Each structure stands twice: as structure tokens, then as C-alpha cells.
Amino acid sequence: MTDREHKPSAEAALEVLLYAPLGFALEARALLPTFVERGRNQVTMAKMIGRFAVQQGQVEANKRFGPVQEQVETVLADLGLATRPGSGPSASPTAASTPATPASPPAPAVAVVPDLETLDPDELAIPDYDSLAASQVVPRLRALSEPDLEAVRAYETAGRARKTILNRIAQLQSA
């Protein structure tokens, strides 16, 4: 058996309460730079991991919310509650110098107007058109051809005449 196993508890307490702190104090001068460097390395590593996590979070958020944000901005702009992306104060000089979109849709210069009496909502390029809200129709207009846009414009004008949809069609037709 070693001396340590036979030491009375008073000596063990003296070692822990007096000798250990005294030993740390005497060695602190030599150990302190090592502790500082290890702490600095840990903080640097935590910062790198944090930056990486934030970047990955931004990428993932853009994937998931980018299309939604674009739709919301389009609807708000069509309702006149916000400016179009790229047309605000931070817009480029060429974008800022373009004329404002008129409030009412102009008649297209050369467009074939379908016969309104024979126009059937099932024949429109947007399925279930009558069941959709304007906020659901507006994002789908961008993918339509000129004749399909004109058909939707004519149907909307003859029916509910929602300004949000009509204004967006006018913008797309004038582009």
C-alpha cells in the first residue's frame, strides 16, 4: 500500500485546501499563456462555427422563402402598398428613371380580343381560375403567352374586374 492510501483525512484536506492552490499559484505564471491560448482557440472555433451556421441558415431561408417573398412583394406592389423590387431609393439610376406604371391597364396595341360570350373559364391557361384569389393568380401570369394573357384580361374585365390582376397583365403586356 502507498502512503496516499494511508494518509489521514486531515493531511488530505491540507493538500487540497493549501498545497494545491499554492502549487497552482506558483505554476500560474508558466501555465497562464497556455490557458489563454487554448481559450482563444476555443473562441475562434466557436466564431467560425457560428458564422458557418448563419450562412447555411441564410441559404436555406432563401431557398424556402425567396419565392414567397417575391410573390408577396408583387402582390403588395400591385395593390399599391409597396414599391416594386428594384424601384425604391436603392434602385439603379436606370430603373429609377423609368416612367411609373399607369393606374389603369392600357389597351394592348395589337391584341386579338376573344369573343367574351364564348369565353369559358375552363379554357383559360390558369386552371380553376374562378376559384383563385387575386394573390394566387398574379404570380401565375408571368408564365403565360401573350394570347393567354389577353384571354385572362378579357375574362377578368368581363367578370370580377380585379384591378390587381388587370394591372399586372398590363405591366406584362407593356414589357
Side-chain angles (χ1 to χ4, degrees):
M1 299 218 169
T2 64
D3 287 339
R4 270 200 136 133
E5 293 176 12
H6 292 243
K7 285 185 184 176
S9 60
E11 279 187 48
L14 184 63
E15 285 181 355
V16 170
L17 296 174
L18 179 64
Y19 298 138
L22 185 58
F24 280 129
L26 293 173
E27 291 294 318
R29 189 171 190 171
L31 293 176
L32 192 58
T34 304
F35 291 151
V36 168
E37 186 61 29
R38 287 180 66 191
R40 183 176 290 126
N41 290 341
Q42 290 295 321
V43 169
T44 302
M45 184 63 71
K47 283 182 180 179
M48 286 183 358
I49 291 170
R51 286 185 186 124
F52 177 77
V54 168
Q55 287 173 347
Q56 290 301 104
Q58 288 174 334
V59 167
E60 190 64 28
N62 286 338
K63 280 184 199 173
R64 293 178 187 231
F65 297 115
V68 173
Q69 180 181 1
E70 184 179 320
Q71 288 178 350
V72 168
E73 288 172 351
T74 301
V75 169
L76 289 176
D78 289 343
L79 294 173
L81 298 174
T83 59
R84 295 227 168 267
S87 65
S90 63
S92 65
T94 56
S97 64
T98 58
T101 304
S104 61
V110 179
V112 178
V113 179
D115 183 9
L116 296 180
E117 293 179 9
T118 61
L119 194 57
D120 183 13
D122 294 331
E123 295 176 7
L124 293 175
I126 300 174
D128 300 322
Y129 184 84
D130 284 335
S131 67
L132 299 176
S135 63
Q136 294 170 308
V137 172
V138 168
R140 298 174 189 193
L141 295 173
R142 189 179 334 190
L144 300 183
S145 67
E146 183 64 32
D148 288 338
L149 271 176
E150 185 55 30
V152 172
R153 187 198 63 75
Y155 184 79
E156 188 63 37
T157 301
R160 296 164 66 180
R162 295 176 282 187
K163 293 214 179 277
T164 305
I165 295 171
L166 294 173
N167 286 340
R168 182 65 179 145
I169 291 171
Q171 291 169 356
L172 292 169
Q173 287 178 329
S174 66

